DNA sequence: GGCCCTGTCATCCGATCGGCTGACCCCCGG
DNA sequence: CCGGGGGTCAGCCGATCGGATGACAGGGCC
């Protein structure tokens, strides 16, 4: 597609770790990135836990992260832990299917360097990876548009953590399981829930989920 | 009625048309399939309309179809028209992210030869493509399991009263208020709730609301 | 250097939920 | 005529939720 003659701007290639729970998508990305000059895939992970372990071992420049991970911790939590890690943490480039406001803000607050849609052209992906490797933020055009166009879409201003809680809530988890999923105590979960109820104008979890789905605060 | 011209398994490669609205995924699949022996990608489409036009022009053996297409007609409708087309119609292999019962049945009814999840291993994909080229059906293991387990058994068929309860539930009402709203006793509400949980595969009201909203079981 | 917001954690307690078991009525279809 | 599905109701009990209140650390803002 692009000329292979275009060399990487820097001597060393950008070292990438790919994290996506879909094996086919992962394999496709690997094949695609192999064709890109100046980009080298050094590992692949199918779960958040795997990504954390591999990142610690491989120290990649950039982690390409899908927000929707089937089992275990989700992409946001993985991103949070990746970027919060002591020492040289990788830049996380979120590559996902959806562009809901909640997702973008949660990802950015968790420390993501960029947010790309899978609908993007491959060239955009390559460019974003090279940007991310240097810590320069990158947003997909439609996403950037939304962000510019105002948090107008964000009628309810939930904090990042509150949205995390809400996401787990919508999976039907109890407080204990939410706590485990996010590595916090049940007491903290309850505190967040209380604030969420206040902000959404409800007084129980069923109502919160209903409002969240209605306002499209969730994926 | 589907396969007038059988492709030679070994002599000629299987000719593929890839249809997915995500450019990155499409490019990834292209790169991945290029590495597979006996498989040749002859075209790619980003919308259902494109797929129909290209299929008519290129006459591929297999169309790799994503069910979720952003703009225009969806994957199911595209599949329907592809397989209903006069003359030699391609075999459609659905490759999608989700495995809800509704999707599978809709796709199969529309004439899909196979249904694969993107979470599948690449080798499974290659094998499925070669199967599909000869009209042999292919289902992802998890999908096949569901189908065996009794398609209609898992079908979400709520009774009228159950939907009434669900609607109130989504308003965040407690059992007492639901009872009052529907002029029945709390005991009856609880009975309905338990059946709803069973049918939706959840075990609490938050999960029920989430599933209901997801499956569009509510107004 | 204070102050607010966010995120974290804790305890107490009443209210509610969810699981379990069993029951009755009505209507439809075999 | 009897079986079964849908709708109704009841009691018991442990688990969980939600309300109230208080506390502390870190980041950002003035």
């Amino acid at each position: 597609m692009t000329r292979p003659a275009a060399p990487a701007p820097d001597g060393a290639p950008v070292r990438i770790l790919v994290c996506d729970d879909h094996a086919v998508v992962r394999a496709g990305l690997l094949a695609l990135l192999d064709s890109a000059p100046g980009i080298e895939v050094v590992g692949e992970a199918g779960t958040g836990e795997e990504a954390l372990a591999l990142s610690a071992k491989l120290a990649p420049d950039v982690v390409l992260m899908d927000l929707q991970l089937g089992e275990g911790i989700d992409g946001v939590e993985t991103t949070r832990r990746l970027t919060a890690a002591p020492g040289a943490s990788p830049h996380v480039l979120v590559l996902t299917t959806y562009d809901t406001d909640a997702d973008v803000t949660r990802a950015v607050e968790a420390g993501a360097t960029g947010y790309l849609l899978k609908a993007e052209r491959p060239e955009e992906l390559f460019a974003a990876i090279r940007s991310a490797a240097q810590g320069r933020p990158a947003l997909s055009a439609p996403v950037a548009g939304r962000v510019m166009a105002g948090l107008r879409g964000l009628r309810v201003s939930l904090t990042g953590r509150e949205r995390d809680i809400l996401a787990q809530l919508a999976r039907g988890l109890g407080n204990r399981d939410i706590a485990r999923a996010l590595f916090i105590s049940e007491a903290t979960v309850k505190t967040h829930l209380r604030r969420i109820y206040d902000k959404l104008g409800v007084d129980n979890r069923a109502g919160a989920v209903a409002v969240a789905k209605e306002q499209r605060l969730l994926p």
Side-chain angles (χ1 to χ4, degrees), chain A residues 28 70 99 149 169 214:
Chain A
D99 67 340
L169 194 61
E214 213 68 59

Side-chain angles (χ1 to χ4, degrees), chain A residues 132-156:
Chain A
Q134 298 175 308
R136 277 185 281 120
L139 286 185
S140 271
V143 177
R146 299 272 288 279
V147 174
M148 308 283 207
L151 308 337
R152 172 188 56 192
L154 294 176
R155 30 177 76 81
V156 180

Side-chain angles (χ1 to χ4, degrees), chain A residues 73-81 84 102-111 157-169 177-185 188-196 199 217-218:
Chain A
I73 63 181
D74 68 5
V76 171
E77 185 60 31
T78 307
T79 298
R80 188 185 308 280
R81 294 169 73 78
D103 275 350
V104 180
T105 46
R106 283 170 64 213
V108 170
E109 281 161 0
S157 70
L158 295 179
T159 69
R161 208 47 168 166
E162 284 163 355
R163 278 185 287 269
D164 291 341
I165 301 275
L166 198 49
Q168 302 305 316
L169 194 61
D177 294 317
I178 295 176
R180 276 205 264 263
L182 299 181
F183 304 98
I184 56 181
S185 79
T188 303
V189 172
K190 291 186 67 174
T191 300
H192 286 305
L193 279 179
R194 172 106 303 291
R195 292 175 185 162
I196 290 173
K199 288 184 179 178
L217 300 172
L218 292 174

Side-chain angles (χ1 to χ4, degrees), chain A residues 203-219:
Chain A
D203 57 2
N204 59 52
R205 38 189 67 213
V209 170
V211 171
K213 292 281 187 183
E214 213 68 59
Q215 315 266 100
R216 313 173 71 138
L217 300 172
L218 292 174

Side-chain angles (χ1 to χ4, degrees), chain A residues 78-100:
Chain A
T78 307
T79 298
R80 188 185 308 280
R81 294 169 73 78
L82 278 174
T83 56
S89 27
H91 293 288
V92 176
L93 184 56
V94 171
L95 181 66
T96 188
T97 303
Y98 309 100
D99 67 340
T100 67

Side-chain angles (χ1 to χ4, degrees), chain A residues 36-55:
Chain A
I39 294 177
E40 180 192 359
V41 177
V42 297
E44 54 176 315
T47 67
E49 288 83 354
E50 253 185 272
L52 291 172
L54 281 179
S55 178

